[in-house]
Structures are given as C-alpha cells and as structure tokens.
Amino acid sequence: MVDSEFSDFRDELSSLPWTPSSPLIRKKSYGNLLRSGLPRHRSPVCRITDEVLFGDVWKRQELASRDRSLVTVAVLVAMNRVEQLPFHLRLARQNGVSSDELAELVTHLAFYAGWPVAASALNLLRGVGK
C-alpha cells in the first residue's frame, strides 16, 4: 500500500464511532442487528447470538476482548465476510484496537489471505466512517 493511501485509510478509521454508547456497540447489539432484518418467528439465531456468543464466548477470561476482536476482524477479512465487518471494526475500536493496528492487520492479511480480500476490506473500511 502506498504511504499516502495508508495515511488516508488510517485517517478514515480514526473517524469511526466507537464509544460504548454507540448503538452498534451496546450489549446484545449484534443480535439486535440480526433481529432487525428477520421476522420475529426466525429470531432464535439472534437469541443464541446474544446469549452464547456475546453472553458467554466473548466474556471468557482466557482471551482478552481486544485479542478476540483482532482475531475476529482477521477471520472476517480473510473469509471476505464484509457484511459483519463494520460491526466488528467498531467493536475492535471499543476494545482498544487502534486505527493503525487495524490498517496494519489488513495489510498483513493481504499477503496471507490474498490481495483481493484485503482490497475489498480496505474499500469497505473507507466507507464505514462516512
């Protein structure tokens, strides 16, 4: 990545809202996001997401939330799961991952997961702050 592109990308990541009061980061917000697009009778996946994933897995002490965020963002980028990426980028920021670290993570993944998925993630990340 050219230095000026990295700088632009880092600046855009810096503008991401990540405060704990952000509606995308409140407790159980991921299940709520899923639920908003599903009919009520199809919401068990939302309940399970809230109770098991965010109610148990993300709270385990064996791995810090910051580390879980880095791993999750890396996997989502590597697997080109761009629909879930904006939520997890904001959560990563809340969990203490800096803009520079997220930019470096995507740069590093370009060489292991492939240039196309990294380029897609960069394009998405540029749009998240807008």
Side-chain angles (χ1 to χ4, degrees), residues 39-105:
R40 290 189 188 275
H41 67 279
R42 296 187 184 224
S43 64
V45 71
C46 301
R47 181 184 51 77
I48 293 166
T49 298
D50 290 343
E51 293 174 7
V52 178
L53 180 59
F54 288 105
D56 178 29
V57 175
W58 273 85
K59 292 181 179 181
R60 293 182 187 170
Q61 299 300 310
E62 292 80 10
L63 194 61
S65 294
R66 183 184 191 286
D67 297 332
R68 288 184 194 280
S69 283
L70 281 169
V71 170
T72 302
V73 169
V75 170
L76 292 174
V77 170
M79 295 182 69
N80 201 24
R81 301 299 195 253
V82 295
E83 186 174 310
Q84 291 78 29
L85 196 52
F87 172 84
H88 283 284
L89 287 170
R90 289 180 178 95
L91 187 58
R93 295 289 307 278
Q94 179 190 6
N95 288 333
V97 181
S98 72
S99 298
D100 287 341
E101 289 171 315
L102 289 171
E104 185 62 27
L105 175 66

Side-chain angles (χ1 to χ4, degrees), residues 1-12 126:
M1 180 179 290
V2 179
D3 286 339
S4 64
E5 289 175 347
F6 177 80
S7 178
D8 291 345
F9 173 60
R10 184 185 62 234
D11 293 343
E12 289 173 18
R126 286 187 178 113

Side-chain angles (χ1 to χ4, degrees), residues 93-130:
R93 295 289 307 278
Q94 179 190 6
N95 288 333
V97 181
S98 72
S99 298
D100 287 341
E101 289 171 315
L102 289 171
E104 185 62 27
L105 175 66
V106 173
T107 301
H108 186 76
L109 288 170
F111 295 94
Y112 289 91
W115 208 259
V117 296
S120 294
L122 289 174
N123 286 332
L124 179 65
L125 292 170
R126 286 187 178 113
V128 168
K130 294 180 181 177

